[in-house]
Coordinates of all heavy atoms in Angstrom, one line a residue:
A7 N 11.1 8.4 -102.2 CA 11.3 7.6 -103.3 C 12.8 7.2 -103.5 O 13.1 6.1 -104.0 CB 10.8 8.4 -104.6
K14 N 14.0 3.1 -95.1 CA 12.6 3.3 -94.8 C 12.3 2.6 -93.4 O 11.7 3.2 -92.5 CB 11.6 2.9 -95.8 CG 11.6 3.8 -97.0 CD 10.7 3.3 -98.1 CE 10.7 4.2 -99.4 NZ 9.8 3.7 -100.4
I22 N 8.8 5.1 -84.4 CA 7.9 4.3 -83.4 C 8.5 4.4 -82.0 O 7.8 4.5 -81.0 CB 7.8 2.9 -84.0 CG1 7.0 2.9 -85.3 CG2 7.2 2.0 -82.9 CD1 6.9 1.5 -86.0
V52 N -4.4 19.5 -34.2 CA -5.7 18.8 -34.5 C -6.3 18.2 -33.2 O -7.5 18.2 -33.0 CB -5.5 17.8 -35.5 CG1 -4.5 16.6 -35.1 CG2 -6.8 17.1 -35.9
E107 N -17.7 -3.2 34.8 CA -17.5 -1.9 35.5 C -16.1 -1.8 36.1 O -15.4 -0.8 36.0 CB -18.6 -1.7 36.5 CG -18.5 -0.3 37.2 CD -19.7 -0.1 38.1 OE1 -19.6 -0.6 39.2 OE2 -20.7 0.5 37.7
K137 N -8.7 -1.1 5.4 CA -7.7 -1.1 4.4 C -8.4 -2.0 3.2 O -8.2 -1.6 2.0 CB -6.5 -1.8 4.8 CG -5.7 -0.9 5.8 CD -4.3 -1.6 6.2 CE -3.5 -0.8 7.1 NZ -2.3 -1.5 7.6
E146 N -12.5 0.6 -7.9 CA -13.4 1.4 -8.6 C -12.9 2.6 -9.2 O -13.2 3.0 -10.4 CB -14.6 1.8 -7.7 CG -15.7 2.5 -8.3 CD -16.4 1.7 -9.5 OE1 -16.6 0.5 -9.3 OE2 -16.8 2.4 -10.5
Y147 N -11.9 3.2 -8.5 CA -11.2 4.4 -9.0 C -10.4 4.0 -10.2 O -10.5 4.8 -11.3 CB -10.3 5.0 -8.0 CG -9.4 6.1 -8.4 CD1 -9.9 7.4 -8.1 CD2 -8.2 5.9 -8.9 CE1 -9.1 8.5 -8.5 CE2 -7.4 7.0 -9.3 CZ -7.9 8.3 -9.1 OH -7.1 9.3 -9.5
H154 N -12.5 6.8 -18.3 CA -12.3 8.2 -18.6 C -11.2 8.5 -19.6 O -11.3 9.2 -20.5 CB -12.2 9.0 -17.3 CG -12.1 10.5 -17.6 ND1 -13.2 11.2 -18.0 CD2 -11.1 11.4 -17.4 CE1 -12.9 12.5 -18.1 NE2 -11.6 12.6 -17.8
M157 N -12.3 7.6 -22.9 CA -13.2 8.6 -23.5 C -12.4 9.8 -24.0 O -12.7 10.3 -25.1 CB -14.1 9.0 -22.4 CG -15.3 9.9 -22.9 SD -15.0 11.6 -22.7 CE -16.6 12.3 -23.2
H159 N -9.2 9.7 -25.0 CA -8.5 9.2 -26.2 C -9.4 9.2 -27.5 O -9.0 9.7 -28.5 CB -8.0 7.7 -26.0 CG -7.4 7.1 -27.2 ND1 -6.1 7.5 -27.6 CD2 -7.8 6.2 -28.1 CE1 -5.8 6.8 -28.6 NE2 -6.8 6.0 -29.0
T186 N -0.7 7.4 -14.3 CA -1.9 6.9 -13.6 C -1.5 6.1 -12.4 O -2.1 6.2 -11.3 CB -2.8 6.1 -14.5 OG1 -3.2 6.9 -15.7 CG2 -4.0 5.6 -13.8
S187 N -0.5 5.3 -12.5 CA 0.0 4.4 -11.4 C 0.6 5.3 -10.3 O 0.3 5.0 -9.1 CB 1.0 3.4 -11.9 OG 0.5 2.6 -12.9
K192 N 0.0 7.7 -5.0 CA 0.0 8.9 -4.1 C -1.3 9.0 -3.3 O -1.3 9.4 -2.1 CB 0.2 10.1 -4.9 CG 0.3 11.5 -4.2 CD 0.7 12.6 -5.1 CE -0.4 12.9 -6.1 NZ 0.0 14.1 -7.0
L197 N -4.4 8.6 2.0 CA -5.4 8.0 2.8 C -4.8 7.1 3.9 O -5.4 7.2 5.0 CB -6.3 7.2 1.9 CG -7.1 8.0 0.9 CD1 -7.9 7.1 -0.1 CD2 -8.1 9.0 1.5
L215 N -14.7 9.0 26.7 CA -15.0 10.3 27.5 C -16.4 10.3 28.0 O -16.7 10.6 29.1 CB -14.7 11.4 26.5 CG -14.8 12.9 27.1 CD1 -13.8 13.1 28.2 CD2 -14.7 13.9 26.0
V268 N -27.1 -3.8 41.9 CA -28.4 -3.0 41.9 C -28.1 -1.6 41.2 O -29.0 -1.3 40.3 CB -28.8 -2.8 43.4 CG1 -30.0 -1.8 43.4 CG2 -29.2 -4.1 44.1
N277 N -30.4 4.3 31.5 CA -29.4 5.0 30.6 C -29.0 4.3 29.4 O -28.2 4.8 28.6 CB -28.2 5.5 31.4 CG -28.7 6.4 32.5 OD1 -29.4 7.4 32.2 ND2 -28.2 6.2 33.7
E284 N -25.9 7.7 21.9 CA -24.8 8.6 21.9 C -23.6 7.9 21.1 O -22.8 8.6 20.4 CB -24.3 9.0 23.3 CG -25.3 9.9 24.0 CD -24.9 10.1 25.5 OE1 -23.9 9.5 25.9 OE2 -25.6 11.0 26.1
K293 N -17.8 8.5 10.7 CA -18.1 7.7 9.5 C -18.3 8.8 8.4 O -17.8 8.6 7.3 CB -19.3 6.8 9.5 CG -19.6 6.1 8.2 CD -20.6 4.9 8.5 CE -22.0 5.4 8.8 NZ -23.0 4.3 8.9
D298 N -16.5 11.9 3.7 CA -16.3 13.2 3.1 C -14.9 13.4 2.7 O -14.5 14.0 1.6 CB -16.8 14.3 4.0 CG -18.3 14.4 4.2 OD1 -19.0 13.7 3.4 OD2 -18.8 15.0 5.2
S306 N -10.4 15.1 -6.1 CA -9.2 16.0 -6.4 C -8.3 15.2 -7.2 O -7.8 15.7 -8.3 CB -8.5 16.5 -5.1 OG -7.4 17.2 -5.4
K318 N -1.4 16.1 -21.9 CA -0.5 15.2 -22.6 C -1.0 15.0 -24.0 O -0.1 15.1 -25.0 CB -0.4 13.8 -21.9 CG 0.4 13.9 -20.6 CD 0.5 12.5 -20.0 CE 1.1 12.5 -18.6 NZ 2.6 13.0 -18.7
L333 N -0.7 21.0 -58.0 CA 0.4 20.1 -58.4 C 0.7 20.0 -59.9 O 1.8 20.1 -60.3 CB 0.1 18.7 -57.9 CG 1.2 17.7 -57.8 CD1 2.3 18.1 -57.0 CD2 0.7 16.3 -57.4

Side-chain angles (χ1 to χ4, degrees):
K14 290 178 181 178
I22 291 172
V52 65
E107 184 175 85
K137 288 180 180 178
E146 182 60 36
Y147 176 91
H154 184 65
M157 191 264 185
H159 175 77
T186 303
S187 297
K192 183 171 67 176
L197 293 174
L215 186 62
V268 170
N277 298 315
E284 290 176 354
K293 180 168 68 172
D298 291 343
S306 176
K318 289 180 182 296
L333 193 59

